[in-house]
Amino acid sequence: MTPEENLAQLWQLIDTNHEAPSAHKYDAAKKFIGGLINVAEQRVYFTHISKAGNLSVRATQSLGALKSDVVFALIKLRTEDPATHRAARKFVETTGKPVFLLQRESLESVKWYPMGGYALSIDPRGQALLTQLEEIFGAPPHQTIPMSEEFAAINAIQYLEGLGITGSVMGSALSGWHDLKNMLASATQSSIGLSAAEAAIVTRRRSIIAELKEMIANPTTTERDLHKKIQGHYWIFGGRYTGVSERNSLIPMDEYDIPLFCTDGSIHIVELKGSHITKLVDRQRSHLIPGKEVHQAVGQAMNYLLDLDEVGASMQTYYKRNGFEYDLCRARATVVIGNPEFVNIPADTKLKLAAVNRQMVDQAIRTYNGLISRIEVVTWTDLLDAADRSLKFEEESAGFASSVKTGASDQAASPSDGDHAGESDETIF
């Protein structure tokens, strides 16, 4: 269609009672424009301006205008051109939204002609939309309003504060914004924005750890519950791991809970067991030894490593031939099992032995770990405590410790749990 035909089509769609208090009188026009410039019709906003001053007031106070990608201002009077342009500039400077102006030929006419538009110099997308509209309707070139990013940021913050919009409300609103990725990238280019992003990640991670601590303290929590909760959060295991294998089975007949990639490319298998294990350790005469379930879990991990040793070389060649870089040579394993708080071994008056406490449990497991190779046993309590300490290190090193609360009452501050930013070099094994 030619610009003249597009204009004629638009005239028909906006031939309505502009003074009527209807929220849907421009729906057809929005749909038409959205189709022409490839924008959702809900993100096109029309407003009828009976006098110039209304442009910078009415549109600014409209939620529809603030949520839009482009604003169409239908200018009623031809006698206020200078004031109209001033109002349009003010509107764009205040909201950051590009505006396209259409002016009525006369009070009796159904014809509206473009009189240009305005966009901020730091808004390339808005400028591109106005350029499209100029070609579609044969409009005069739009004007770009010079503005530094710093001034725009200050202006936007002042405007939001004036509306009483809090940070949490703004975060919720921005989560559905079309340009969220670019906004986040821009925000984290500054030291303040980066610190805020890091603080949000740490807060979210603390919340996850707090939830896991509540779960391992609950006797009804199952192994399956812990598997589900910890999924996607390999950062809990320390900073020497760079990711999780997409394959849970690297050789036939074996399937791992969490196969981690180490920084050197090797594989570290994590075997997760339940937390409610009363026989985590047991007495053998005057000594403590790991319980049956610990031995079974370690035996399971041992067989995984044995199979990797025996079959790994040939499988590694197979994977490389198909484009996968797996280093299966001399893999290691960790078994996460039990919570010392569930161990209840009373005092033995006959052997004159005190009741078993956490320190005794830790010593028994530490002794066991010192006598086995390539496999380590870690309790859920030790795992989560170490992850908590790692986050504390992140807070202190980044200088935002005071902005992040600790404990189970922390609220999640990030929508994404699978984040990798802010990993600590500290290892927990």
Side-chain angles (χ1 to χ4, degrees):
M1 295 175 66
T2 65
E4 291 76 15
E5 291 171 330
N6 286 327
L7 265 179
Q9 178 70 25
L10 182 61
W11 293 342
Q12 294 179 19
L13 298 176
I14 59 175
D15 184 14
T16 182
N17 180 5
H18 300 282
E19 310 292 344
S22 171
H24 303 286
K25 58 189 173 187
Y26 298 120
D27 283 358
K30 293 178 184 179
K31 186 174 182 179
F32 175 61
I33 297 298
L36 292 176
I37 60 176
N38 194 28
V39 169
E41 59 184 280
Q42 297 87 350
R43 304 194 72 88
V44 178
Y45 183 77
F46 274 77
T47 182
H48 180 252
I49 306 300
S50 58
K51 59 181 180 178
N54 288 349
L55 177 54
S56 59
V57 176
R58 182 182 301 171
T60 300
Q61 294 178 345
S62 168
L63 184 59
L66 298 179
K67 292 172 63 177
S68 69
D69 288 347
V70 62
V71 173
F72 276 70
L74 305 178
I75 310 302
K76 176 181 178 180
L77 301 176
R78 300 183 60 85
T79 56
E80 297 184 337
D81 285 4
T84 296
H85 283 282
R86 287 195 299 271
R89 290 178 62 92
K90 183 177 180 182
F91 167 75
V92 175
E93 289 172 352
T94 304
T95 66
K97 301 294 182 180
V99 63
F100 188 75
L101 304 173
L102 288 164
Q103 191 172 59
R104 199 170 193 169
E105 186 178 48
S106 68
L107 292 178
E108 295 77 23
S109 176
V110 296
K111 297 181 180 180
W112 301 77
Y113 291 99
M115 56 187 297
Y118 292 92
L120 293 180
S121 60
I122 58 172
D123 181 18
R125 187 170 185 271
Q127 295 176 49
L129 290 176
L130 291 183
T131 299
Q132 281 185 272
L133 292 171
E134 289 158 11
E135 295 174 355
I136 292 169
F137 295 114
H142 66 272
Q143 295 186 37
T144 301
I145 302 174
M147 182 172 290
S148 68
E149 293 188 4
E150 291 79 9
F151 181 79
I154 293 171
N155 210 30
I157 291 171
Q158 290 177 342
Y159 176 65
L160 293 171
E161 288 177 344
L163 292 178
I165 296 177
T166 64
S168 59
V169 172
M170 191 62 186
S172 176
L174 286 174
S175 64
W177 192 33
H178 67 87
D179 206 23
L180 180 60
K181 288 185 178 180
N182 288 336
M183 185 274 292
L184 291 175
S186 298
T188 54
Q189 286 177 1
S190 68
S191 58
I192 294 177
L194 182 59
S195 293
E198 290 172 339
I201 291 171
V202 171
T203 302
R204 174 58 180 158
R205 290 183 174 184
R206 280 203 177 281
S207 176
I208 292 167
I209 290 174
E211 292 171 15
L212 279 166
K213 285 184 175 182
E214 288 184 0
M215 291 177 69
I216 67 169
N218 187 343
T220 64
T221 299
T222 65
E223 181 180 325
R224 183 180 179 86
D225 294 334
L226 293 170
H227 276 237
K228 185 176 180 181
K229 187 63 182 178
I230 206 170
Q231 186 176 8
H233 303 299
Y234 73 84
W235 50 268
I236 287 175
F237 299 98
R240 67 179 177 182
Y241 304 105
T242 60
V244 183
S245 170
E246 294 180 357
R247 299 170 178 267
N248 281 359
S249 179
L250 298 176
I251 61 174
M253 300 179 69
D254 285 345
E255 186 170 338
Y256 319 122
D257 289 341
I258 305 178
L260 297 173
F261 286 119
C262 300
T263 53
D264 62 359
S266 63
I267 295 293
H268 192 118
I269 296 168
V270 177
E271 182 63 28
L272 302 177
K273 297 300 180 182
S275 58
H276 185 231
I277 298 176
T278 56
K279 294 292 185 179
L280 185 63
V281 296
D282 207 350
R283 273 208 176 106
Q284 187 184 50
R285 298 179 181 176
S286 60
H287 300 284
L288 289 177
I289 62 172
K292 177 183 176 181
E293 293 185 58
V294 175
H295 286 291
Q296 288 178 336
V298 169
Q300 182 180 352
M302 190 181 299
N303 286 325
Y304 288 156
L305 298 184
L306 175 64
D307 289 348
L308 282 170
D309 287 345
E310 293 180 347
V311 186
S314 60
M315 291 303 299
Q316 188 169 321
T317 302
Y318 169 79
Y319 283 130
K320 284 188 175 180
R321 190 169 66 245
N322 288 277
F324 296 99
E325 290 294 332
Y326 292 130
D327 185 352
L328 304 182
C329 178
R330 293 295 182 268
R332 301 181 66 84
T334 295
V335 173
V336 184
I337 185 171
N339 179 351
E341 297 300 323
F342 292 127
V343 175
N344 184 19
I345 302 178
D348 189 325
T349 55
K350 183 177 181 180
L351 295 176
K352 297 181 180 179
L353 298 174
V356 173
N357 56 33
R358 178 175 174 177
Q359 183 182 13
M360 295 176 179
V361 175
D362 291 343
Q363 287 177 345
I365 291 176
R366 189 164 63 247
T367 301
Y368 183 64
N369 284 330
L371 298 173
I372 56 178
S373 177
R374 295 168 57 194
I375 301 173
E376 184 172 14
V377 177
V378 178
T379 66
W380 279 100
T381 306
D382 284 339
L383 175 73
L384 299 178
D385 284 349
D388 218 2
R389 288 193 299 272
S390 179
L391 291 180
K392 184 177 180 181
F393 171 80
E394 287 291 339
E395 294 170 3
E396 293 173 348
S397 62
F400 52 75
S402 61
S403 66
V404 182
K405 296 181 180 179
T406 60
S409 63
D410 292 349
Q411 298 297 314
S414 173
S416 170
D417 295 342
D419 50 75
H420 312 317
E423 299 289 2
S424 169
D425 290 333
E426 178 184 346
T427 178
I428 65 175
F429 300 129

